[in-house]
């Protein structure tokens, strides 16, 4: 059973940095995508960033390019989201996700971790 556990959220001032972690377990992840999504109050969940576990290929939402970096640690089965130059509009619950099959749809989600950016 795939399990994703996020950590690292919390309050931060605008312009600051924060690193989120997502510990993954329950299967091999090689060839699968891992991603981060976020949902702000009153808004739909939106894509933030993704990484393909084997190749390391990354993809980012335009709103976070140049400020956020996604990475993975194969040995620890952990994906990170390094967030810098945070803005108040980055305030949201951040969710880790993985695809249900290689190159397939997002099928598994973590419980989420709250990030609150104060100006």
């Amino acid at each position: 059973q795939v399990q994703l556990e996020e950590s690292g959220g919390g309050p931060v001032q605008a312009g600051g940095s924060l690193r989120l972690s997502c510990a993954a377990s329950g299967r091999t992840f090689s060839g699968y995508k891992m991603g981060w999504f976020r949902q702000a109050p009153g808004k739909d969940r939106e894509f933030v960033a993704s990484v393909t576990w084997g190749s390391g290929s990354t993809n980012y939402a335009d709103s976070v390019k140049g400020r956020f970096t996604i990475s993975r640690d194969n040995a620890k089965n952990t994906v990170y989201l390094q967030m810098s130059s945070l803005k108040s509009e980055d305030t949201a619950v951040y969710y880790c996700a993985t695809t249900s099959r290689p190159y397939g749809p997002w099928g598994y989600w973590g419980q989420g971790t709250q990030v609150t950016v104060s100006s």
Side-chain angles (χ1 to χ4, degrees):
Q1 181 177 352
V2 175
Q3 290 188 317
L4 304 173
E5 185 172 355
E6 303 100 335
S7 61
V12 62
Q13 290 196 333
S17 299
L18 210 57
R19 188 178 79 159
L20 305 182
S21 300
C22 173
S25 62
R27 70 166 192 214
T28 179
F29 291 90
S30 179
Y32 291 76
K33 279 188 177 180
M34 300 291 296
W36 288 96
F37 290 74
R38 67 186 182 186
Q39 187 167 20
K43 294 188 177 181
D44 293 333
R45 189 174 299 189
E46 64 175 1
F47 169 80
V48 175
S50 68
V51 60
T52 300
W53 199 275
S55 68
S57 174
T58 59
N59 192 26
Y60 295 92
D62 288 343
S63 59
V64 306
K65 278 181 182 176
R67 300 189 299 122
F68 291 11
T69 301
I70 189 170
S71 62
R72 82 260 191 255
D73 184 326
N74 291 344
K76 295 182 179 180
N77 260 15
T78 299
V79 175
Y80 304 98
L81 185 68
Q82 178 67 47
M83 305 184 293
S84 303
S85 301
L86 283 162
K87 307 174 182 179
S88 57
E89 51 262 45
D90 294 318
T91 295
V93 177
Y94 283 72
Y95 297 90
C96 178
T98 187
T99 52
S100 53
R101 58 182 184 274
Y103 310 107
W106 299 101
Y108 298 97
W109 299 85
Q111 292 299 307
T113 185
Q114 176 71 46
V115 172
T116 303
V117 183
S118 59
S119 55

